[in-house]
């Protein structure tokens, strides 16, 4: 039996993907070996690599003006690589603070060069996304960095600023491919794979080719975007099994109606849980303000620590995994990424309703 997996990441993968990986595990397409055992320079692996890249480009409608890179080091290494490659002595890195991950991204940029906080909702416990009209962009801005979905606080951007002459960069680790976006609005998008894309170990970077000219040869080779772009992410050994699984996840998504199709299901899943919260007469309190609610991470608290504990214990008994909130904020969190089935959310909503009725004060 499969668990109802609401983990924040690594998180649920589509069952079909796991089954294909299982079938192919010891003999990948007649090679007599696993994908893990193939040379990364073989034609069989090359086909896997290209499939992942092509499917990602198709699903997000990415033009040839962008490079698609498969890197390692997680989204966290991008916090460092972005300012290393894109910030110069005379320019300023702008950040919008919407949670712990944007704070971490800012902290890394500070080690490299000049930074500016364009907006922050920290004073309000990161309950909302600042309005795009209130962003204060510095002079000589190299870029504006946003975190599209805040995994810990459960908030999500619903629209992005249109900027003139400032590159928009988004950390989409926890909502990439969950809803339609216009890639052209961004100069760079990056995401660790372990939520919507596949297993941990690979980080997807989508980067406007013209930005590559900023990367100087003085940069350490592995931290230079040009190294990876010039070698099609094969400068050194890539995480082959993670990229293979990514290709299967992308294929699954393409066969499930693409981004548009999954967006419809994601809306339905989020609406089931938020309705349950909203109709509980304040028993479940959402962390996020209504207009900033995330459709990927639903965060809420119960009336007391005791009830929270009871809720989590009973939930676990029923097979719901991963519902405790992040250790920094407490409460509860249901992460409902692309691969979490609608049925899991229906069952959770049913349980939440019943728990509320049994325990209301
Ligand atoms: N950004 C966001 C929005 C995240 O949710 C996470 C991880 N949960 C990270 C960055 C860090 O990713 P990684 O662990 O791949 O470095």
């Amino acid at each position: 039996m499969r668990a109802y997996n609401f983990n924040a990441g690594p998180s649920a993968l589509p069952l079909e993907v796991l089954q294909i990986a299982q079938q192919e595990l010891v003999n990948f397409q007649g090679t007599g070996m696993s994908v893990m055992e193939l040379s990364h320079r073989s034609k069989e692996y090359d086909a896997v690599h290209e499939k992942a890249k092509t499917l990602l480009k198709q699903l997000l409608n990415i033009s040839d003006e962008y490079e698609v890179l498969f890197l390692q080091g997680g989204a966290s290494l991008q916090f460092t690589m972005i300012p290393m490659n894109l910030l110069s002595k005379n320019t300023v890195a702008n950040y919008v603070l919407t949670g712990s991950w944007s704070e971490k991204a800012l902290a890394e940029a500070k080690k490299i060069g000049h930074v500016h906080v364009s907006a922050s909702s920290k004073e309000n416990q990161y309950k909302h996304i600042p309005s795009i009209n209130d962003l204060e962009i510095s002079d000589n801005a190299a870029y504006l960095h946003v975190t599209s979905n805040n995994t810990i606080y459960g908030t999500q951007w619903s629209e992005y600023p249109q900027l003139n002459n400032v590159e928009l960069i988004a950390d989409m680790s926890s909502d990439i491919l969950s809803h339609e976006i216009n890639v052209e609005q961004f100069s760079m998008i990056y995401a660790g794979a372990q939520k919507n894309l596949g297993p941990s170990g690979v980080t997807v970077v989508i980067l406007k080719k013209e930005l590559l000219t900023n990367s100087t040869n003085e940069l350490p080779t592995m931290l230079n975007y040009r190294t990876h772009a010039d070698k099609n992410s094969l400068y050194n050994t890539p995480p082959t099994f993670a990229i293979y699984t990514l290709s299967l996840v992308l294929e699954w998504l393409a066969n499930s109606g693409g981004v548009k199709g999954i967006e419809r299901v994601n809306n339905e899943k989020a609406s089931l849980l938020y309705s349950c919260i909203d109709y509980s007469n304040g028993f479940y309190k959402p962390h996020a303000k209504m207009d900033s609610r995330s459709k990927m991470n639903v965060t809420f608290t119960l009336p007391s620590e005791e009830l929270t504990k009871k809720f989590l214990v009973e939930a676990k008994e029923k097979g719901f995994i991963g519902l405790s909130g992040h250790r920094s904020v407490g409460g509860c969190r249901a992460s409902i990424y692309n691969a979490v089935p609608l049925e899991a959310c229906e069952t959770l909503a049913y349980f939440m309703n019943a728990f509320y009725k049994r325990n209301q004060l």
Side-chain angles (χ1 to χ4, degrees):
M1 204 195 99
R2 296 268 294 160
Y4 292 118
N5 184 350
F6 294 97
N7 280 334
S11 42
L13 283 166
L15 179 59
E16 296 92 316
V17 164
L18 296 173
Q19 284 167 336
I20 295 172
Q22 184 179 43
Q23 271 166 24
E24 296 185 327
L25 191 68
V26 297
N27 185 0
F28 176 69
Q29 295 184 357
T31 55
M33 58 186 85
S34 163
V35 172
M36 287 182 270
E37 301 169 289
L38 288 175
S39 162
H40 62 294
R41 307 286 175 202
S42 63
K43 70 173 186 338
E44 290 86 358
Y45 175 71
D46 191 56
V48 169
H49 200 82
E50 286 312 308
K51 179 173 148 186
K53 203 165 146 180
T54 306
L55 280 169
L56 191 69
K57 286 179 91 167
Q58 283 169 359
L59 283 162
L60 279 175
N61 209 2
I62 302 172
S63 78
D64 287 338
E65 284 173 29
Y66 291 80
E67 283 290 344
V68 171
L69 306 177
F70 300 136
L71 306 184
Q72 300 190 61
S76 299
L77 186 60
Q78 294 311 305
F79 298 165
T80 310
M81 280 179 78
I82 291 166
M84 270 186 144
N85 284 264
L86 303 178
L87 191 58
S88 69
K89 277 201 187 87
N90 308 319
T91 58
V92 182
N94 283 240
Y95 284 79
V96 181
L97 297 187
T98 50
S100 318
W101 298 111
S102 21
E103 283 183 15
K104 286 193 168 140
L106 171 73
E108 291 308 299
K110 262 189 196 160
K111 295 179 185 173
I112 312 281
H114 301 295
V115 298
H116 171 74
V117 174
S118 296
S120 168
S121 52
K122 187 169 188 162
E123 302 250 293
N124 188 26
Q125 295 85 50
Y126 290 129
K127 287 183 179 176
H128 73 280
I129 301 293
S131 154
I132 56 173
N133 302 318
D134 297 339
L135 303 183
E136 198 187 87
I137 313 282
S138 72
D139 289 340
N140 303 322
Y143 58 80
L144 175 73
H145 178 282
V146 301
T147 312
S148 59
N149 182 76
N150 298 280
T151 324
I152 294 175
Y153 293 92
T155 60
Q156 188 174 22
W157 290 68
S158 52
E159 54 174 345
Y160 294 97
Q162 301 274 2
L163 304 168
N164 290 327
N165 304 321
V166 180
E167 318 293 348
L168 181 61
I169 299 180
D171 172 0
M172 293 199 184
S173 291
S174 51
D175 69 350
I176 192 165
L177 289 170
S178 67
H179 66 115
E180 289 195 298
I181 53 161
N182 176 9
V183 171
E184 305 286 320
Q185 256 191 284
F186 302 89
S187 298
M188 176 174 164
I189 291 169
Y190 65 99
Q194 63 272 21
K195 299 163 203 305
N196 269 340
L197 295 173
S200 58
V202 60
T203 303
V204 165
V205 169
I206 301 161
L207 178 69
K208 219 172 214 170
K209 285 179 182 163
E210 63 187 44
L211 290 190
L212 290 168
T213 53
N214 293 299
S215 305
T216 71
N217 288 335
E218 275 91 75
L219 286 174
T221 310
M222 281 297 287
L223 300 178
N224 188 327
Y225 287 128
R226 270 225 311 265
T227 303
H228 303 289
D230 287 349
K231 300 286 184 201
N232 190 24
S233 306
L234 284 157
Y235 170 76
N236 70 330
T237 319
T240 52
F241 196 74
I243 294 170
Y244 159 73
T245 315
L246 164 67
S247 78
L248 296 181
V249 171
L250 296 174
E251 195 166 44
W252 166 82
L253 184 57
N255 293 335
S256 322
V259 179
K260 202 184 209 132
I262 208 77
E263 179 171 6
R264 230 176 291 127
V265 184
N266 285 336
N267 284 342
E268 210 176 322
K269 284 166 12 189
S271 138
L272 272 168
L273 298 187
Y274 284 118
S275 303
C276 173
I277 288 171
D278 291 338
Y279 289 106
S280 73
N281 290 315
F283 182 81
Y284 297 115
K285 239 196 218 112
H287 179 78
K289 264 184 63 187
M290 185 81 92
D291 61 3
S292 302
R293 287 176 170 182
S294 164
K295 291 179 179 163
M296 294 282 102
N297 310 97
V298 179
T299 49
F300 55 93
T301 51
L302 282 83
S304 67
E305 275 296 311
E306 208 186 327
L307 276 169
T308 306
K309 271 200 194 116
K310 190 171 175 210
F311 176 85
L312 291 171
V313 168
E314 285 188 26
K316 198 162 173 210
E317 280 165 12
K318 300 254 184 244
F320 301 110
I321 305 300
L323 287 176
S324 22
H326 188 269
R327 59 194 180 280
S328 61
V329 293
C332 300
R333 167 177 59 176
S335 297
I336 49 174
Y337 302 122
N338 284 358
V340 174
L342 176 64
E343 183 241 334
C345 295
E346 284 166 349
T347 315
L348 177 61
Y350 183 83
F351 166 73
M352 284 174 68
N353 244 327
F355 186 88
Y356 147 62
K357 287 196 178 126
R358 265 185 286 120
N359 292 281
Q360 61 187 313
L361 306 173

